[in-house]
Amino acid sequence: MVQHFDENTTVGVDVGIKDFAILSNGEKIGNPRYLKKSLLRMKVLQRRLSRKQKGSNNKNKAKQAMAKLHEIIHNQRNDFQHKLSFRLVCENQAIALETLNVAGMLKNHKLAQHIADASWSSFVTQLEYKAQRHGKTILRIGQFEPSSKICSKCGYYNRKLSLADRDWVCPDCGTHHDRDINAAINIRKFALDKQNSIGI
Ligand SMILES: [Zn+2]
């Protein structure tokens, strides 16, 4: 049986670096403050660790502190992601996501980007198993759909949109778009179009 979903029962989710997730209903979910604090602390510890002498007692202590912090960050992230994925699964019948290019992402050496990517893939895993458990559906669209560049109102394709443009006005219909929210709306739209064209 092919299920049909609509805009009221489906949420589109876009990923970000500044915000952890952006929803098609306009909601932006930032990374929790305590997670940011822990990441700052990690930078300090990394620097400290690199300065200590090999095999010294201080080096071992610094290593232990680092391991402990990794555990704290892991737990904080897990907790945050469990709550958010549970909420999304409870509030919606279907969740639309973009399939991300994980191989390309892992080549990125920027720490912040790397952490955001790793974090996102574990979040998707949590969404998937919760959706399955609660009888909800994950809808996916391909990574080549230009979700940021298309006006979610009229379908105009904005070729000129660059990565730096956080918001833009559609030259065709005049709608003012927040880049990420527009992308989240398009992710939902593309996913619904694809889903509802099956079996018709
Ligand atoms: Zn438009």
Side-chain angles (χ1 to χ4, degrees):
M1 192 190 81
V2 178
Q3 276 183 282
H4 284 251
F5 301 102
D6 61 31
E7 288 184 0
N8 298 319
T9 55
T10 304
V11 66
V13 186
D14 188 27
V15 286
I17 297 212
K18 193 172 144 276
D19 294 303
F20 178 76
I22 301 95
L23 310 184
S24 53
N25 64 10
E27 191 185 342
K28 291 185 172 181
I29 295 151
N31 282 300
R33 217 171 257 278
Y34 50 77
L35 199 55
K36 280 184 204 162
K37 261 192 191 162
S38 298
L39 291 175
L40 276 177
R41 171 99 186 120
M42 183 183 270
K43 277 189 185 162
V44 174
L45 284 184
Q46 259 172 349
R47 217 172 305 139
R48 199 170 291 168
L49 192 60
S50 67
R51 282 203 221 109
K52 304 288 180 211
Q53 222 173 359
K54 241 188 184 173
S56 72
N57 232 346
N58 281 339
K59 181 97 175 176
N60 285 337
K61 270 189 198 161
K63 268 188 189 163
Q64 276 172 14
M66 191 63 148
K68 182 80 194 149
L69 184 62
H70 269 290
E71 196 190 315
I72 290 171
I73 290 176
H74 180 82
N75 291 340
Q76 286 175 337
R77 182 182 292 152
N78 241 344
D79 187 53
F80 165 70
Q81 294 187 352
H82 268 300
K83 282 178 185 149
L84 182 58
S85 55
F86 185 65
R87 198 196 109 194
L88 290 176
V89 165
C90 286
E91 288 175 355
N92 302 281
Q93 288 305 315
I95 297 155
L97 306 169
E98 214 167 4
T99 301
L100 298 173
N101 176 5
V102 177
M105 282 179 165
L106 293 177
K107 283 186 195 139
N108 196 311
H109 295 299
K110 270 191 189 158
L111 184 67
Q113 178 72 54
H114 198 84
I115 288 168
D117 298 346
S119 184
W120 180 251
S121 57
S122 75
F123 179 65
V124 171
T125 307
Q126 294 198 21
L127 271 177
E128 279 169 339
Y129 86 74
K130 284 194 180 70
Q132 197 174 19
R133 193 194 292 163
H134 295 272
K136 307 295 178 80
T137 303
I138 302 287
L139 302 172
R140 285 179 178 279
I141 61 160
Q143 57 175 119
F144 299 111
E145 312 256 12
S147 53
S148 304
K149 294 187 173 181
I150 287 180
C151 170
S152 57
K153 202 100 184 189
C154 75
Y156 176 85
Y157 183 33
N158 187 352
R159 277 169 215 286
K160 288 182 191 151
L161 193 74
S162 78
L163 266 177
D165 298 327
R166 301 316 303 166
D167 56 346
W168 56 285
V169 175
C170 174
D172 221 35
C173 72
T175 304
H176 181 261
H177 290 297
D178 172 285
R179 179 200 184 91
D180 297 330
I181 295 172
N182 181 56
I185 295 171
N186 278 330
I187 289 170
R188 178 180 64 185
K189 191 171 182 292
F190 299 153
L192 286 175
D193 287 351
K194 188 174 147 195
Q195 176 72 11
N196 293 334
S197 70
I198 302 171
I200 287 178

